[in-house]
Amino acid sequence: MNNWDPTKITVLYLPPATEFRPVDRRKYTWTQSKTTGESYLSIGYQYDFNAIQVEYRDEVLAEWTPQMGQYVLSGKIFISDESFDEKYANIRFLIFQREVKSALAAMIYGDRPFFSNYPWLLDSPIYIHFQSNYKDFNKIIYYETPRQYLNEAMQLMGT
């Protein structure tokens, strides 16, 4: 998980969301400070668009959705649109592929009380859609389960 530090995360619940609800459509907005490395996680019924730095577009968004009898954590990462050339889109894609596991670890670790109440979600699949106007970078990739990220974060914390 690169250099992600579980102690450098700030979690904000956007009312009326709490540590316990909602389950359906529970949304995560993850961002990170360029200068301090601090992670910011907003959890709510909506994405926290106020936390997104439009000039960088380096957020990771995810939400719990019911699919075919189970819950899936579906994420999305903006890679490029028509305002990006293919070379820059490729760089963004490579960076996000390397960093997405840290973002997922921050989401899962930051929402530990939620998983205490819904432990079966720890074994749900995680899919991330890399959104790009270039087909080589417009992909959906499977990223294991929340349990993997929680276990790795707990090991980093020494618990």
Side-chain angles (χ1 to χ4, degrees):
M1 283 190 297
N2 299 334
N3 297 322
W4 181 71
D5 183 350
T7 64
K8 288 189 170 189
I9 183 167
T10 301
V11 179
L12 172 67
Y13 289 94
L14 304 173
T18 68
E19 295 176 343
F20 313 109
R21 64 178 176 83
V23 176
D24 284 3
R25 305 288 180 197
R26 183 180 192 83
K27 292 179 172 49
Y28 300 100
T29 307
W30 177 86
T31 58
Q32 187 173 35
S33 168
K34 300 266 187 240
T35 55
T36 66
E38 178 88 15
S39 290
Y40 299 95
L41 177 64
S42 300
I43 302 169
Y45 284 83
Q46 303 294 325
Y47 293 119
D48 187 359
F49 292 107
N50 293 326
I52 296 171
Q53 297 175 344
V54 178
E55 65 273 13
Y56 298 117
R57 290 303 312 266
D58 59 355
E59 73 280 355
V60 178
L61 305 174
E63 74 176 292
W64 285 104
T65 58
Q67 293 181 7
M68 297 174 43
Q70 71 173 345
Y71 280 94
V72 173
L73 185 57
S74 299
K76 55 187 171 182
I77 298 172
F78 173 80
I79 298 298
S80 65
D81 60 16
E82 58 281 341
S83 65
F84 292 81
D85 67 22
E86 191 169 1
K87 185 176 181 179
Y88 188 59
N90 182 42
I91 291 167
R92 285 180 56 83
F93 180 72
L94 293 172
I95 290 169
F96 274 112
Q97 270 197 307
R98 186 182 68 225
E99 298 296 327
V100 69
K101 290 182 177 183
S102 295
L104 290 170
M107 285 179 191
I108 304 307
Y109 183 80
D111 207 13
R112 291 181 318 282
F114 176 74
F115 291 105
S116 294
N117 290 290
Y118 303 98
W120 61 88
L121 292 177
L122 287 169
D123 297 312
S124 298
I126 300 171
Y127 293 96
I128 303 294
H129 181 190
F130 293 83
Q131 299 174 319
S132 176
N133 56 321
Y134 299 103
K135 74 174 187 172
D136 288 345
F137 316 123
N138 188 35
K139 301 177 182 219
I140 297 174
I141 299 175
Y142 172 67
Y143 278 94
E144 304 296 327
T145 67
R147 185 177 306 281
Q148 169 190 336
Y149 297 98
L150 184 59
N151 287 343
E152 289 178 24
M154 298 303 271
Q155 286 175 356
L156 285 173
M157 294 297 293
T159 57

